[in-house]
């Protein structure tokens, strides 16, 4: 009985050892692997850059008062279409007390001077009629009298301007703020009751309204110094607006700044482009925009996906791996290549390989295992 148990145990141990050995061999054996490959192909390549900026009217006109005072009435709203001469607002004049008092004093002085001159004129006229004085003396006195009357009129006009804002009270008085150009009112930064100051040689004055023609728009953006040298005046731009989806606007580069501005350690150059406005879309001033500029373009050149390129760690020269021998052998040979322009997806191959070469797709995280129908179909598709 003991012998039978002993043989059974020995048999179990032998079978277990054989099973363990078989499992170890199977688990550590690796199937032959194969890599996908891709042939070079012909395509158009465009090297682009994108300039960020905004779309603004070409000209914005600020309407400023010609007299200081308080906004009495605003007759227009932001967004309204106006024509040159349209009334926008009215100003109520609040005269300076010192200036008003001085003007009033000049009027009184002119009245006194006129009265004295009139007395002298009347006396000289009476004796001139009797032939006592010469014509020359009388004419001199008459000139003084006329000058005194004119001085009084000027003093009265100055007093009325300081007090009322206008000497004649006509429709073109300084108290009426009118549009100087036709367009759209972009902004009215004041409200009724606000105090405003006039525009003069020492002060820009308070802006009553800003007017612009929204049918003439330009793109303002910035490009990096590494790309500004490739730009040329007149080159086309493609403008995309964040506020208008699925719509591109054509533009033409019209200005490249001769001086760069350093921003965050990088030198940026300002550019401007004339935007072709579509009547079906309302472009508001200040829309954020991106301008796509084609720096270089080549048609019908041999390319490969840029992801297939490798670079030598020492020389930093580009190369690819080309399949040699049969598909089953999966042998690859290093080939140095000369590359041209790239659009970020495909890169131009100037020399080094041909369209018949099969380039190894090396950047897969897991190579495809050989022996399945899906892998064979995938390889044939490439």
């Amino acid at each position: 009985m003991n012998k039978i148990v002993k043989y059974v145990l020995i048999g179990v141990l032998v079978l277990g050892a054989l099973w363990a050995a078989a499992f170890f061999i199977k688990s550590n054996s690796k199937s032959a692997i194969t890599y996908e490959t891709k042939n070079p192909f012909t395509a158009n390549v465009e090297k682009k850059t994108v300039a960020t900026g905004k779309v603004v009217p070409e000209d914005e006109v600020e309407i400023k008062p010609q007299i200081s005072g308080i906004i009495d009435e605003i007759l227009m709203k932001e967004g309204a279409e106006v024509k040159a001469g349209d009334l926008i607002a009215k100003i109520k004049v609040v005269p300076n007390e010192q200036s008003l008092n001085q003007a009033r004093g000049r009027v009184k002085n002119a009245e006194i001077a006129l009265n004295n001159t009139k007395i002298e004129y009347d006396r000289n006229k009476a004796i001139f009629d009797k032939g006592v004085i010469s014509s020359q003396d009388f004419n001199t006195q008459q000139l003084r009298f006329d000058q005194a009357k004119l001085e009084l009129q000027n003093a009265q006009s100055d007093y009325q301007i300081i007090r009322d804002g206008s000497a004649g009270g006509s429709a073109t008085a300084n108290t009426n703020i009118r549009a100087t150009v036709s367009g759209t009112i972009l902004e009215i930064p004041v409200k009724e009751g606000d105090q405003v100051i006039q525009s003069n040689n020492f002060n820009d004055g308070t802006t009553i309204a800003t007017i612009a023609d929204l049918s003439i728009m330009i793109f303002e953006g910035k490009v990096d110094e590494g790309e500004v040298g490739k730009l040329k005046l007149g080159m086309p731009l493609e403008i995309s607006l964040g506020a208008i989806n699925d719509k591109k606007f054509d533009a033409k580069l019209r200005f490249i700044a001769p001086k760069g501005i350093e921003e965050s350690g990088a030198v940026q150059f300002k550019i401007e482009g004339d935007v072709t406005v579509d009547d079906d879309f309302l472009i508001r001033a200040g829309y954020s925009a991106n301008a796509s500029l084609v720096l270089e373009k080549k048609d019908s050149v041999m390319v490969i996906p840029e992801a297939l390129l490798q670079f030598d760690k020492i020389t930093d020269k580009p190369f690819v791996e080309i399949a040699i021998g049969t598909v089953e052998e999966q042998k690859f040979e290093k080939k140095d290549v000369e590359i041209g322009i790239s659009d970020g997806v495909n890169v131009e191959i100037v020399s080094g390989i041909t369209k018949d070469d099969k380039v190894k797709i090396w950047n897969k995280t897991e190579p495809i295992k050989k022996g399945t129908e899906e892998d064979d179909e995938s390889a044939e598709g490439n």
Side-chain angles (χ1 to χ4, degrees):
M1 184 70 180
N2 291 334
K3 290 183 178 181
I4 296 174
V5 174
K6 181 179 179 180
Y7 292 145
V8 171
L9 291 175
I10 293 173
V12 171
L13 291 174
V14 172
L15 291 175
L18 293 174
W19 179 84
F23 177 79
F24 179 79
I25 294 173
K26 182 178 180 180
S27 62
N28 284 275
S29 63
K30 294 184 179 179
S31 300
I33 58 175
T34 184
Y35 292 92
E36 290 186 27
T37 59
K38 190 173 186 65
N39 291 90
F41 57 95
T42 300
N44 300 333
V45 184
E46 292 183 350
K47 184 178 181 180
K48 296 183 178 180
T49 186
V50 176
T52 59
K54 59 183 179 180
V55 173
V56 297
E58 182 175 20
D59 294 310
E60 292 186 14
V61 178
E62 294 183 345
I63 308 300
K64 299 179 182 292
Q66 297 301 312
I67 194 167
S68 299
I70 293 175
I71 299 294
D72 185 44
E73 185 180 6
I74 297 178
L75 305 175
M76 294 289 183
K77 294 183 178 180
E78 294 177 349
E81 297 286 338
V82 295
K83 295 181 179 179
D86 287 350
L87 186 62
I88 298 176
K90 293 182 179 180
I91 293 179
K92 179 174 63 177
V93 177
V94 180
N96 181 278
E97 288 296 331
Q98 182 179 4
S99 300
L100 188 64
N101 185 61
Q102 292 175 349
R104 190 184 294 115
R106 287 196 298 270
V107 172
K108 290 182 179 180
N109 288 334
E111 288 175 347
I112 294 172
L114 178 61
N115 289 334
N116 290 336
T117 306
K118 186 176 185 305
I119 294 173
E120 188 69 19
Y121 171 77
D122 291 341
R123 187 179 67 83
N124 279 269
K125 186 175 186 307
I127 61 177
F128 172 73
D129 292 340
K130 295 178 181 180
V132 177
I133 61 174
S134 65
S135 175
Q136 181 178 0
D137 292 337
F138 176 72
N139 291 337
T140 301
Q141 189 60 43
Q142 186 174 12
L143 176 62
R144 293 175 182 174
F145 179 59
D146 293 338
Q147 289 175 339
K149 289 192 293 183
L150 182 61
E151 183 65 26
L152 177 60
Q153 292 176 359
N154 291 337
Q156 290 173 339
S157 297
D158 291 342
Y159 174 71
Q160 187 175 0
I161 291 174
I162 294 175
R163 185 188 63 187
D164 302 328
S166 173
S170 62
T172 59
N174 292 334
T175 53
N176 292 337
I177 308 301
R178 298 181 178 275
T180 57
V181 295
S182 300
T184 302
I185 297 179
L186 302 182
E187 183 182 14
I188 299 179
V190 296
K191 58 182 181 294
E192 293 181 1
D194 284 353
Q195 187 171 1
V196 297
I197 59 176
Q198 68 183 26
S199 175
N200 52 43
N201 293 336
F202 307 101
N203 198 304
D204 290 338
T206 305
T207 300
I208 304 296
T210 302
I211 302 176
D213 186 353
L214 296 182
S215 65
I216 306 175
M217 307 291 284
I218 63 172
F219 168 80
E220 290 183 353
K222 296 178 181 179
V223 296
D224 187 80
E225 62 177 330
E227 298 171 337
V228 70
K230 301 176 183 178
L231 303 182
K232 295 181 180 179
L233 296 179
M235 68 186 308
L237 310 178
E238 189 178 65
I239 307 297
S240 58
L241 305 178
I244 302 178
N245 298 324
D246 303 326
K247 174 64 179 178
K248 304 291 185 180
F249 295 88
D250 295 328
K252 184 176 291 186
L253 187 63
R254 74 171 194 177
F255 172 76
I256 304 172
K259 179 181 178 180
I261 301 174
E262 185 172 352
E263 296 181 357
S264 302
V267 179
Q268 303 286 323
F269 286 81
K270 179 182 176 182
I271 63 171
E272 291 181 359
D274 292 317
V275 180
T276 302
V277 179
D278 194 333
D279 294 337
D280 296 334
F281 294 88
L282 173 62
I283 301 180
R284 303 182 187 275
Y287 271 165
S288 61
N290 291 328
S292 178
L293 302 90
V294 179
L295 302 178
E296 192 174 358
K297 181 179 180 181
K298 291 186 178 181
D299 296 331
S300 301
V301 294
M302 186 174 68
V303 300
I304 62 171
E306 191 169 354
L308 304 187
L309 280 180
Q310 302 182 59
F311 292 88
D312 190 280
K313 294 182 179 180
I314 299 177
T315 62
D316 200 36
K317 292 183 178 180
F319 69 91
V320 294
E321 294 185 38
I322 303 299
I324 59 175
T326 63
V327 177
E328 290 76 11
E329 291 177 340
Q330 281 289 288
K331 292 183 179 180
F332 295 94
E333 178 184 11
K334 176 182 175 182
K335 285 278 190 177
D336 293 330
V337 293
E338 181 183 353
I339 60 176
I341 65 172
S342 169
D343 60 8
V345 178
N346 297 321
V347 60
E348 177 192 8
I349 301 298
V350 179
S351 63
I353 59 175
T354 66
K355 291 184 179 180
D356 297 329
D357 292 327
K358 296 183 180 298
V359 182
K360 177 183 176 182
I361 301 177
W362 63 275
N363 61 337
K364 299 290 185 181
T365 55
E366 291 185 4
I368 301 173
K369 292 184 178 181
K370 180 180 178 181
T372 64
E373 294 180 358
E374 294 180 358
D375 295 342
D376 294 340
E377 292 174 359
S378 176
E380 292 175 1
N382 289 307

